[in-house]
Amino acid sequence: MVTRWIFSRRLSSQIQNSFVTTPIFYVNAAPHIGHLYSAVIADAIHRFNQITGPTESGDCFLSTGTDEHGLKIQQAAIKHSTSTEDYCDAISSKYRDLFGRFQIDYSRFIRTTDTDHRQAVHAFWKSLAASDSIYSASYSGWYCVPDETFLTDSQLKENERGEKCSLESGHPVEWTEEENYMFRLGRYQDDVRHWVKGLEGRRIQPDKFGRILLDWLEEPLPDISISRPMNRVSWGVPVPSDPSQSVYVWLDALVNYLTVAGYPKESFRNRWPPTLQVLGKDILKFHGIYWPAFLLAANIEPPRQLLVHSHWTVDNQKMSKSKQNVVDPNERAEVYTYEGLRYFLLREGVAHSDGNYSDTKVLRILNSELADTLGNLLSRCCGKALNVESIFPAVDKEALESLKQIDATKRMLEALEEMPDKTSNHYRNFNFYLAIDTIVHLLHTANNFFETTAPWKLKKSDNPADRAKLNTILSVTMEVLRQVGIASQPIVPGLSKQLLDKLQIVPTARRWKDLLISFRTQDSPLAQDECILFRRIMQPAQKTNPEMSRTEKRATKKKKQAV
């Protein structure tokens, strides 16, 4: 006890590398917007760490993947009339393809069917056994197949048909009696509680989820089953000392974080522990109680921090197959683009409360902020109407001093000065919506500056002073766009790259330290390709509207004939 007690209090306080994880996603069904949300959050943090690290090639690692074992997968494969291997291959590839389209910059996509993962699970099991944390016993209790977990009486309720089901998920349960291996969870309760309270109270973010964990830890923790009989759950990792048992799917799944770090090779400690683990609130107990307890039992340091996010409703209703309102990210991206949907999730999602998905809201936000506020400003600066030579012009000092006397200029420069620190603080606190708020506010001030100074009027003048002022307006606005492009990389990496490419900002000058106001002292060419950053999106219904009037139909027909 003394050794374990000392160990639990010497958890490292220094971040050496960035190691961010998503949960691995269960392959019982195709990915939906909730799965994508977890991945996008983790990717945004990972990308922020990449551009703020001490070196350009800093050691930043992001892992994601699929959880492929358990009874639910066996049943899903049977339902789809295929082998478990082929079923897992098909669903796992859907996740990999989805994350590729949404530019999730993962370092490792792990599958629990990978050979090195099976080796890691075996090594971890042996480590738990060596610490006398495992024993064999007869077990009986309520088991929820969809949730792959045993439940106590206090975690049950009766549905409208009088059947017992999970209090949290509503999924049905079945009474199970079997020989299992048990983990001495109660032995580690005090140490887990200490871990939850650590990192100056910021171990679990947002705070509300830390309080939920501490409430759970007020009650004695029962020992938990960590294996299933192979004759019931054959699709899993066999217990190394007893092939008649398979490793409990949650223990198997949690070890994936160790596998991607290189465990059981001792060099895994060069990356371990994860600096941040992103997860949904529905799996808080597994990551906030079981996982640190398993690690402490194996004499391995638990993760530094957990970021727990809430779920998504659809038009204020819970997302479910029965309601046929599950949002398919690929399908919606055909309308809103991959970058647009990614932007919306980070713009509207808040970790502490459920977000509400609405097509109307997506359309309004993307058109207002990406098309009109950002995209239109770039087009006006770079378009031939005002920028005949297609350059990022130099700033004329006298013209700049003159512009600084205008209130709109003062407001814009003040917002530009404040943006890097404010945005950085919001990123570090995982408040992506506030980071976007700050960036959009800067863009609003830049648009107001552009409208107030009216460069299109100066374009008509032959006066050299007016020409210098025009170029200065364009240059100052482009400086705002340069900084917006750098600061937005964690949110919309594709659009940011397109914007920075247009301004000819070299890749080595796109780090956070480059967010210093730097007005051009000489002209430099813009990229020659046309840059329409984000096109306005029409209401999907407008494309095939059966209620179109005869007049509208005739007008549409004439347009097509003209083309």
Side-chain angles (χ1 to χ4, degrees), residues 186-226:
R187 175 189 288 184
Y188 301 96
Q189 181 157 353
D190 288 342
D191 286 351
V192 171
R193 184 187 292 111
H194 172 78
W195 172 78
V196 170
K197 291 179 177 179
L199 208 63
E200 298 180 348
R202 289 184 51 80
R203 178 81 68 199
I204 315 296
Q205 290 296 303
D207 294 338
K208 66 177 282 187
F209 294 112
R211 292 193 295 272
I212 290 172
L213 282 178
L214 291 174
D215 285 344
W216 287 339
L217 289 164
E218 285 298 309
E219 299 295 325
L221 293 177
D223 292 350
I224 58 171
S225 169
I226 56 170

Side-chain angles (χ1 to χ4, degrees), residues 286-351:
F286 298 97
H287 285 77
I289 295 181
Y290 299 166
W291 180 221
F294 291 152
L295 290 168
L296 289 165
N299 202 38
I300 298 173
E301 183 174 343
R304 179 178 174 84
Q305 197 171 27
L306 303 185
L307 173 60
V308 187
H309 66 78
S310 297
H311 294 162
W312 283 87
T313 59
V314 179
D315 293 325
N316 296 307
Q317 290 190 325
K318 185 176 180 179
M319 194 162 46
S320 70
K321 292 180 183 177
S322 61
K323 294 179 181 176
Q324 296 185 325
N325 66 347
V326 176
V327 179
D328 179 343
N330 285 313
E331 179 188 354
R332 302 325 292 150
E334 289 183 9
V335 179
Y336 304 120
T337 75
Y338 294 103
E339 288 283 285
L341 194 53
R342 179 183 170 116
Y343 180 86
F344 171 79
L345 291 175
L346 293 171
R347 180 70 167 114
E348 280 296 297
V350 292

Side-chain angles (χ1 to χ4, degrees), residues 486-543:
I486 293 172
S488 298
Q489 289 175 101
I491 307 295
V492 278
L495 288 182
S496 296
K497 180 181 185 302
Q498 193 179 347
L499 189 161
L500 295 170
D501 285 350
K502 179 62 181 179
L503 299 179
Q504 297 269 49
I505 308 301
V506 296
T508 54
R510 299 179 182 185
R511 295 176 56 73
W512 206 263
K513 64 181 176 60
D514 298 307
L515 287 178
L516 297 172
I517 298 177
S518 178
F519 292 129
R520 291 297 168 103
T521 57
Q522 60 183 25
D523 297 346
S524 58
L526 298 173
Q528 291 305 303
D529 54 309
E530 185 183 13
C531 185
I532 299 176
L533 204 59
F534 195 89
R535 296 181 186 276
R536 283 187 62 83
I537 301 167
M538 298 295 291
Q539 279 278 10
Q542 292 178 353
K543 296 179 181 179

